[in-house]
């Protein structure tokens, strides 16, 4: 009973943790201009950086910047952006810090709920995963964090470090027959011309 309660509450806390972005940048879609540039430059303050480090489970963020542009398209908006991130993660083998440099291209489509159901209304170069329902309020912090999570190495390794192979490779994987040594000795003796008695 107690273990089930703990499991349910752990799952709930994980969902809560993932529901809220570590930083927030709210955009009102109604404020976007169809005939003007809708470009946003995003940088993080110290607290937001600390929140993102904790959220991603990494050791540090050296630099972060992001530019996002909204372009009007039929029935919605196309979001184009570049996320630049230099961070450090723990090497899964040595536990040393490993520097990770990411340049992430962001590309999403915002369209109405009705049009999401019709793939033909979306641009052919976009997948359904890249299509979001258009709403009055858009949280860029959520979108940016999601893109980083998808591109961040899951198992970072220090350059030149390889996992020690405790198993023999396929060539040497076959264990020698216990009498192989005697067979080899017999072959060696046969090669020697012993004098006849």
């Amino acid at each position: 009973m107690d273990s089930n309660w703990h499991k349910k509450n752990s799952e709930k806390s994980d969902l809560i943790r993932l529901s809220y972005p570590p930083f927030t940048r709210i955009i009102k879609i109604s404020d976007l201009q169809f005939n003007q540039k809708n470009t946003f430059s995003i940088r993080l303050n110290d607290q937001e950086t600390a929140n993102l480090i904790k959220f991603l489970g990494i050791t540090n963020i050296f630099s972060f910047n992001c530019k996002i542009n909204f372009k009007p398209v039929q029935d919605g908006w196309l979001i184009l952006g570049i996320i630049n991130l230099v961070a450090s993660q723990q090497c899964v083998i040595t536990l040393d810090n490993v520097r990770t440099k990411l340049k992430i291209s962001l590309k999403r489509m915002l369209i109405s709920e009705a049009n999401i159901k019709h793939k033909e209304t979306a641009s052919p170069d976009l997948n359904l995963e890249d299509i979001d329902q258009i709403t009055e309020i858009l949280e860029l912090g959520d979108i940016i964090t999601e893109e980083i999570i998808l591109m961040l190495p899951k198992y970072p390794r220090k350059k030149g470090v390889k996992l020690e192979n405790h198993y023999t490779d396929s060539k040497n994987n076959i264990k020698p027959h216990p009498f192989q040594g005697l067979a080899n000795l017999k072959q060696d003796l046969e090669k020697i011309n012993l004098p006849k008695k």
Side-chain angles (χ1 to χ4, degrees), residues 189-197:
L189 290 174
E190 288 175 352
K191 291 176 183 178
I192 301 173
N193 292 323
L194 295 175
K196 292 181 181 181
K197 291 183 179 179

Side-chain angles (χ1 to χ4, degrees), residues 9-26:
N9 279 273
S10 296
E11 291 172 353
K12 186 178 178 183
S13 64
D14 287 342
L15 287 173
I16 291 171
R17 178 177 173 268
L18 294 174
S19 297
Y20 297 96
F23 65 94
T24 181
R25 293 295 186 279
I26 294 174

Side-chain angles (χ1 to χ4, degrees), residues 142-161:
D142 199 9
I143 292 174
I144 293 167
T145 303
E146 183 181 319
E147 294 290 335
I148 293 172
I149 290 172
L150 291 173
M151 297 303 295
L152 205 62
K154 298 293 184 292
Y155 305 102
R157 289 188 182 183
K158 191 174 181 180
K159 190 175 181 181
V161 174

